[in-house]
Amino acid sequence: SKGEVLIFGKIGALIEVGGGFNQDLTGRENIYLVGSMLGMSMKEIRCKFDEIVSFAGIEQFLDTQVKHFSSGMQVRLSFSIAANYEPEILLLDEVLAVGDMGFQTKCLQKIADLQQQGRSIIFVSHFPDEVIRICDKAILLAQGKIICQGLSSVVCQEYKNLF
């Protein structure tokens, strides 16, 4: 419930559906809002804008208020903004469970691309197979205590053994 984190570099987070969005603004306006909150300059946002929209697949809804987006559309836009921010560290939770199979595949490919570029992904999940697919190493926490840490396959097997 408390602690300290020292951050050296740009961090992007996708922790909740629509996190940081203003529901009364359009998708277009929220790209600028959330991008700015992440620390992107207006120039960076403009340069990445088409890529963000294309990745999210929301072109036809770009000028619709986000409150009219489905949760899946909000996740698509959130992930696209966070991933195109090009953070050194990307924090993800189980938001990848939302969305269709095609989008999940695009997300996993984007995650792999970020990893190949030397960026770190911190992925929080209750789905061992996804942890193994995305992560080399894992930490199993229970009530704030480290139960096991090491190779993701070993840690996930320990998780499965608990249940």
Side-chain angles (χ1 to χ4, degrees):
S1 62
K2 63 181 179 176
E4 184 177 317
V5 176
L6 301 175
I7 300 170
F8 301 97
K10 295 192 312 186
I11 190 164
L14 186 50
I15 306 296
E16 65 180 86
V17 174
F21 284 157
N22 180 320
Q23 297 293 308
D24 292 322
L25 297 178
T26 66
R28 179 185 311 275
E29 294 164 331
N30 272 289
I31 290 171
Y32 284 96
L33 174 66
V34 174
S36 295
M37 290 184 340
L38 286 172
M40 294 173 75
S41 69
M42 292 302 271
K43 182 179 177 183
E44 285 177 294
I45 296 169
R46 280 192 296 273
C47 287
K48 298 272 185 183
F49 188 86
D50 291 341
E51 189 176 342
I52 290 168
V53 173
S54 175
F55 189 92
I58 60 150
E59 293 90 342
Q60 65 192 41
F61 304 103
L62 194 55
D63 294 310
T64 302
Q65 289 177 311
V66 169
K67 66 183 171 187
H68 298 297
F69 282 20
S70 67
S71 61
M73 290 169 65
Q74 289 187 33
V75 166
R76 293 170 78 97
L77 187 54
S78 291
F79 183 88
S80 186
I81 296 167
N84 282 287
Y85 168 57
E86 297 183 358
E88 277 86 21
I89 302 167
L90 180 60
L91 304 176
L92 297 173
D93 73 358
E94 295 175 322
V95 293
L96 294 180
V98 178
D100 59 51
M101 186 65 79
F103 184 72
Q104 288 178 13
T105 300
K106 279 180 26 176
C107 289
L108 291 171
Q109 182 57 54
K110 185 68 169 182
I111 290 167
D113 292 347
L114 291 171
Q115 288 171 320
Q116 287 177 342
Q117 295 169 11
R119 301 175 195 281
S120 298
I121 310 293
I122 298 175
F123 180 59
V124 179
S125 180
H126 292 93
F127 298 106
D129 294 338
E130 289 297 309
V131 172
I132 291 169
R133 186 182 333 179
I134 293 172
C135 306
D136 299 322
K137 297 177 186 168
I139 299 172
L140 174 58
L141 298 172
Q143 298 185 15
K145 306 268 188 261
I146 295 175
I147 305 299
C148 181
Q149 62 183 342
L151 294 175
S152 60
S153 58
V154 173
V155 173
C156 288
Q157 186 57 51
E158 183 66 25
Y159 174 78
K160 290 176 184 179
N161 292 342
L162 290 175
F163 302 99

